Amino acid sequence: MEVFLQVRRQKTTIFLTVNENTTGKELKAMLHGITKTPVEYINLFNAEEKAFDDEKSLADFGLLSSMCKAQNPGELVMAFKEEPKVVTPYSNPPEMPEVMRQENAPQEQVAA
């Protein structure tokens, strides 16, 4: 079954689609192909900041296809070598202008 993942590091977000039985080592090899960083320098952590074991599968860490959907991917944090785990939060969109708000729109009259 497919697992949808979002791997974040600083201001970078990488989306991956993998299988439940994908190991940490295979995941690091995929990230190596994207970031060109040696596999031994890539460290992965889950939401609880628990380090990923290279030999364990995603299912062993609770990243299952039933929970990690395309509209709500599982989140991992990536750090290189000895750097701290830093993820820049997403920015919030600006407030919607008054002219675009639904509550100010004129009501349509129903013809009887």
Side-chain angles (χ1 to χ4, degrees):
M1 299 290 287
E2 287 186 323
V3 175
F4 294 89
L5 295 176
Q6 152 179 307
V7 182
R8 299 193 60 203
R9 175 185 173 263
Q10 297 176 356
K11 292 183 178 183
T12 304
T13 303
I14 301 169
F15 290 94
L16 296 173
T17 305
V18 296
N19 292 319
E20 284 182 356
N21 58 357
T22 301
T23 63
K25 190 174 188 176
E26 294 169 334
L27 196 58
K28 286 181 181 182
M30 290 178 203
L31 292 168
H32 161 70
I34 296 169
T35 63
K36 307 296 185 224
T37 301
V39 175
E40 57 272 8
Y41 290 176
I42 298 174
N43 297 317
L44 294 173
F45 304 90
N46 63 4
E48 291 85 40
E49 302 214 4
K50 185 176 177 185
F52 255 57
D53 185 359
D54 286 350
E55 303 306 317
K56 290 190 177 181
S57 70
L58 294 175
D60 295 336
F61 285 98
L63 295 169
L64 305 169
S65 60
S66 60
M67 295 170 32
C68 300
K69 304 280 186 189
Q71 65 272 22
N72 188 20
E75 189 169 320
L76 296 176
V77 175
M78 176 173 59
F80 294 151
K81 210 169 183 179
E82 299 295 323
E83 75 179 9
K85 298 174 283 292
V86 177
V87 175
T88 304
Y90 294 124
S91 62
N92 292 325
E95 196 172 313
M96 189 178 292
E98 278 190 49
V99 263
M100 297 181 73
R101 294 187 187 153
Q102 288 289 334
E103 58 200 28
N104 292 340
Q107 297 285 330
E108 288 186 31
Q109 293 180 354
V110 179

